[in-house]
Amino acid sequence: MKTSAEQRHFLFAFVSKDVKKYQELGWKIIDDKDIVSIAKERYLLIIQDINQIAFPKQLDASVLLEKIKGRKNEPYFIIANQALYPFSDWTIAENKDIIIERLEVGIGP
């Protein structure tokens, strides 16, 4: 599916250490080709330091910020729309089938 980055939803990967390493890895942060294949079709990957989160002031990211509050697992993923409203989340330890299901549902109908 050819989708411009402006139409994709966001797949945030929040990490709390070795941020540069994860940013350099890009999609390889997800160590499963099936998950990456599905995610690349629908999402724009954003890898961000969970301790230095910054969003544009004109967007209300309060629900997203509340969802990640206190999370220190490495890494932590959240699907959000362009208004930064979160729809799904998981850690890297989640079952592969559950991750794929969440990616396929996206933000729902």
Side-chain angles (χ1 to χ4, degrees):
M1 180 167 46
K2 294 184 180 183
T3 305
S4 71
E6 291 77 22
Q7 294 176 332
R8 291 186 216 167
H9 298 296
F10 300 137
L11 175 57
F12 285 100
F14 292 104
V15 297
S16 58
K17 57 185 175 184
D18 299 326
V19 177
K20 293 281 187 205
K21 176 186 89 171
Y22 285 115
Q23 289 174 335
E24 289 172 5
L25 283 172
W27 282 104
K28 292 179 184 173
I29 192 172
I30 303 170
D31 191 26
D32 186 284
K33 65 180 182 172
D34 297 329
I35 294 173
V36 170
S37 177
I38 292 167
K40 277 184 167 182
E41 289 180 10
R42 301 174 180 208
Y43 301 96
L44 177 64
L45 178 64
I46 301 169
I47 301 170
Q48 195 165 12
D49 186 336
I50 201 166
N51 299 309
Q52 297 182 354
I53 297 172
F55 295 111
K57 293 181 183 188
Q58 66 270 27
L59 295 175
D60 179 10
S62 59
V63 177
L64 178 63
L65 292 170
E66 186 62 34
K67 189 163 215 44
I68 62 174
K69 187 178 179 179
R71 297 297 299 208
K72 296 297 178 187
N73 290 333
E74 185 85 21
Y76 180 65
F77 296 90
I78 296 180
I79 295 173
N81 66 9
Q82 292 189 9
L84 300 181
Y85 186 83
F87 289 89
S88 187
D89 62 291
W90 63 89
T91 67
I92 200 72
E94 189 76 57
N95 176 283
K96 173 182 175 174
D97 294 331
I98 291 172
I99 294 172
I100 289 174
E101 179 180 318
R102 290 177 184 170
L103 288 168
E104 289 176 339
V105 171
I107 64 165

